Amino acid sequence: MGSAQLRVVGPDQALTATVGQDVVLPCHLSPQRDARSLDVRWIRDEFSETVHHYRNGEDLYGEQMEAYAGRTELARDDLSAGSLDVRITMVRPSDDGLYLCTVGDADAYHEVIVELEVSATGTDPHFSLVGYEAGGVRVLCRSVGWYPLPQLLWRDARGQHLPSVSQTHSQDQEGLFEIESAVIVTGSVEGPLSCVVRSSHIQQERESSLHIAAPFFHNAQPWKVALALVLVLLAASIGLGVYLFRKKVTQSRELVRKDAKMAQLAAELAWRRFLMSHNRVKVTLDPHTAHPLLVLSQDNSSVRWEREWQQVPDTPERFNNRWCVLGHEEFREGRHFWEVDVEGKREKYSLWAVGVGRASVKRKGYFKRCTEEGIWAVQYKEGQLMSLTSPPTHLSLSPVPTRIWVCLDCTQQQVSFINADNGVEIFTFTAASFNGESIRPWFWLRTLGIQLCLRDSTPQTTSPALEGSCPSPPTPGSPLLDPARAAQE
């Protein structure tokens, strides 16, 4: 049975849910058939962990994420009609995101993405008068219990926006946001003052108004303000003198450290240029391993993700669960490196990863992307890079590189990732367990509008970007392979 014969369908748009309520994530087989004998798994895409697992008439809770323990239920009575819906009770802010509805048996596998947007409307704004400041009254506005993070705006009686002097927010243990803002109101502000807390995500807002009586402003007399200003300036001038002296001493020490660092960096860059000029290899993508949702360019130098499954043979070497593709080349000894460029617009849930994997890496069914599974890679998720260690290590890089050198040292069993724009190391896996196996380039992609491109040009560490763009993969329906490979398939 091919993948096309086992097809699962989900909603066309994101579902919405309110914190504290229940939500049903819909998913069904098309065409309709009995699903009681199938392996049904709901996966939290962001964490690659199980939300609910059903197999052969049993709910398997042993591998369920702790956050969903006791909160999920599969519609067992509807399985015979092909429904794979799962209910999540007492929705939390942390439930917001993407889910995978997957189904399979011994011969076939298919999956679909379901997006859940969680929201919560907070309390009415609460006012408090902090004290006199800058010739006026400092007013604080606070609201709690929001998700996602809302906006807080100040308005006067005419509906004009007033600038705030400070604004902060925080999250409680349940993930709900508290937002607080302050404004200084002077006697020139007529009529009631309004504080509006608004969530553009769910088109909800809360508003409260406050009228400050004129006597409050009488205490903010000009001579008091002037005296306070003189005292502040005097304290500031003394503090500034102390600060400038300390800054001069700090700068002298920093210059010494910076010179040493620059010398070290220059030596490191010179070594990398020498190493890479002798070990750069041309890497191409192997279409026989590409997940059916991945579309390769004609020359196998770039890959993109599509929502529709491609009509390709379900062979043993092809990934059928994870959106992966391997490089065609295999390495057992020596040092090698290649460049991967990431092109396209990054959206809220952008997800991609590049690295290497053992030639024997699992192709069928569910597996984690980590070193224990024979994968050494860095992953981009929601604006941040992380290394796929166990658990993943977040990497503080700004901006996130879009040109990455993947460096494989089979002799030392190391995998390094380097920013191709400036030659700075991103992350290195040391003592990688290759186990004597061949190592292949590995790629993972799950975002529309993003392409992973393999470059075949001379490294230029001083260039901000390489000219040109990668070849575009064919549009859905066009051939994935060149005629020779198609004949082989």
Side-chain angles (χ1 to χ4, degrees):
M1 184 185 297
S3 297
Q5 294 175 276
L6 187 60
R7 185 168 180 266
V8 66
V9 179
D12 295 330
Q13 57 188 9
L15 304 174
T16 59
T18 303
V19 170
Q21 296 184 353
D22 296 353
V23 65
V24 174
L25 304 184
C27 180
H28 65 274
L29 292 172
S30 178
Q32 179 179 319
R33 57 169 284 190
D34 193 339
R36 287 176 295 182
S37 62
L38 299 177
D39 189 311
V40 180
R41 188 194 298 261
W42 281 87
I43 299 172
R44 187 64 194 271
D45 180 50
E46 179 182 0
F47 306 105
S48 302
E49 294 190 39
T50 299
V51 173
H52 194 98
H53 190 191
Y54 166 91
R55 184 175 61 203
N56 294 331
E58 285 189 76
D59 294 299
L60 307 177
Y61 295 105
E63 52 194 84
Q64 185 180 44
M65 292 178 66
E66 183 179 351
Y68 293 91
R71 297 175 55 226
T72 62
E73 179 185 4
L74 202 69
R76 300 281 290 274
D77 295 339
D78 299 330
L79 283 170
S80 59
S83 173
L84 313 177
D85 298 356
V86 66
R87 177 184 295 275
I88 301 176
T89 61
M90 296 296 293
V91 169
R92 306 170 181 175
S94 57
D95 296 334
D96 184 86
L98 301 180
Y99 294 77
L100 288 181
C101 173
T102 74
V103 62
D105 57 19
D107 303 307
Y109 171 89
H110 202 229
E111 64 190 23
V112 71
I113 298 170
V114 179
E115 182 176 352
L116 177 63
E117 294 182 348
V118 176
S119 63
T121 303
T123 62
D124 289 336
H126 174 74
F127 289 105
S128 58
L129 302 182
V130 179
Y132 297 106
E133 184 176 332
V137 179
R138 186 182 183 94
V139 183
L140 200 66
C141 179
R142 175 174 172 267
S143 182
V144 301
W146 292 87
Y147 190 86
L149 179 66
Q151 295 176 298
L152 192 152
L153 306 172
W154 294 92
R155 290 200 293 243
D156 61 17
R158 293 170 296 178
Q160 300 295 316
H161 290 289
L162 300 176
S164 63
V165 294
S166 68
Q167 187 165 123
T168 60
H169 67 268
S170 60
Q171 279 182 283
D172 60 20
Q173 292 182 346
E174 296 179 356
L176 297 175
F177 284 98
E178 170 186 328
I179 190 166
E180 187 176 84
S181 179
V183 68
I184 296 176
V185 183
T186 63
S188 60
V189 177
E190 300 179 358
L193 176 71
S194 296
C195 175
V196 182
V197 184
R198 174 188 303 158
S199 173
S200 57
H201 182 71
I202 55 175
Q203 303 300 316
Q204 293 286 335
E205 69 176 38
R206 293 281 189 265
E207 180 176 356
S208 296
S209 298
L210 174 71
H211 185 83
I212 303 177
F216 274 96
F217 297 107
H218 294 164
N219 291 324
Q221 298 176 21
W223 70 269
K224 290 183 179 180
V225 176
L227 177 60
L229 183 61
V230 169
L231 293 176
V232 170
L233 290 175
L234 180 61
S237 62
I238 296 174
L240 180 62
V242 175
Y243 168 76
L244 291 175
F245 174 76
R246 291 179 176 176
K247 184 177 180 181
K248 186 175 181 179
V249 173
T250 302
Q251 285 179 336
S252 299
R253 293 173 180 171
E254 187 64 28
L255 285 173
V256 174
R257 286 196 296 266
K258 196 171 183 180
D259 289 343
K261 183 68 176 177
M262 290 298 292
Q264 179 184 357
L265 182 59
E268 186 176 353
L269 288 176
W271 176 83
R272 284 178 180 162
R273 289 192 187 99
F274 173 80
L275 174 65
M276 291 182 174
S277 63
H278 291 77
N279 297 282
R280 186 179 184 105
V281 293
K282 180 178 180 179
V283 168
T284 56
L285 302 172
D286 184 355
H288 299 84
T289 66
H291 185 281
L293 289 177
L294 298 182
V295 182
L296 274 58
S297 61
Q298 292 288 347
D299 62 356
N300 298 324
S301 67
S302 66
V303 57
R304 75 163 186 260
W305 182 89
E306 289 289 347
R307 290 188 182 275
E308 295 296 326
W309 281 52
Q310 309 302 302
Q311 297 301 313
V312 291
D314 186 15
T315 54
E317 62 263 37
R318 188 179 305 280
F319 291 95
N320 74 343
N321 185 319
R322 290 312 204 175
W323 306 296
C324 304
V325 60
L326 294 177
H328 188 271
E329 292 70 23
E330 297 188 18
F331 306 100
R332 275 186 173 272
E333 56 185 19
R335 295 188 177 110
H336 315 276
F337 94 97
W338 53 92
E339 180 180 322
V340 182
D341 290 9
V342 184
E343 294 190 352
K345 184 179 179 182
R346 297 182 183 179
E347 303 293 346
K348 178 181 178 182
Y349 294 116
S350 292
L351 294 166
W352 53 262
V354 298
V356 301
R358 296 194 194 110
S360 64
V361 66
K362 189 174 180 180
R363 313 293 175 86
K364 304 299 183 184
Y366 172 79
F367 62 89
K368 289 187 177 182
R369 304 181 304 277
C370 60
T371 55
E372 284 79 1
E373 294 285 354
I375 296 170
W376 296 267
V378 292
Q379 173 181 299
Y380 176 87
K381 184 186 73 173
E382 298 181 16
Q384 189 174 24
L385 266 187
M386 63 181 68
S387 63
L388 295 182
T389 50
S390 296
T393 303
H394 289 270
L395 307 173
S396 299
L397 295 173
S398 182
V400 173
T402 57
R403 298 172 57 231
I404 298 175
W405 289 336
V406 183
C407 305
L408 170 65
D409 189 334
C410 297
T411 305
Q412 298 295 327
Q413 297 199 87
Q414 287 191 151
V415 183
S416 296
F417 300 88
I418 296 173
N419 185 340
D421 289 328
N422 54 23
V424 174
E425 180 182 14
I426 298 171
F427 187 81
T428 294
F429 291 90
T430 58
S433 302
F434 296 161
N435 295 342
E437 290 190 39
S438 295
I439 303 299
R440 301 176 66 174
W442 176 89
F443 308 85
W444 178 79
L445 178 63
R446 200 232 65 82
T447 302
L448 286 172
I450 295 289
Q451 288 189 139
L452 299 181
C453 313
L454 288 161
R455 294 295 185 194
D456 184 27
S457 58
T458 304
Q460 301 175 9
T461 57
T462 57
S463 174
L466 291 176
E467 296 181 357
S469 60
C470 65
S472 296
T475 56
S478 60
L480 294 180
L481 309 174
D482 59 73
R485 289 191 179 274
Q488 293 176 7
E489 292 278 359

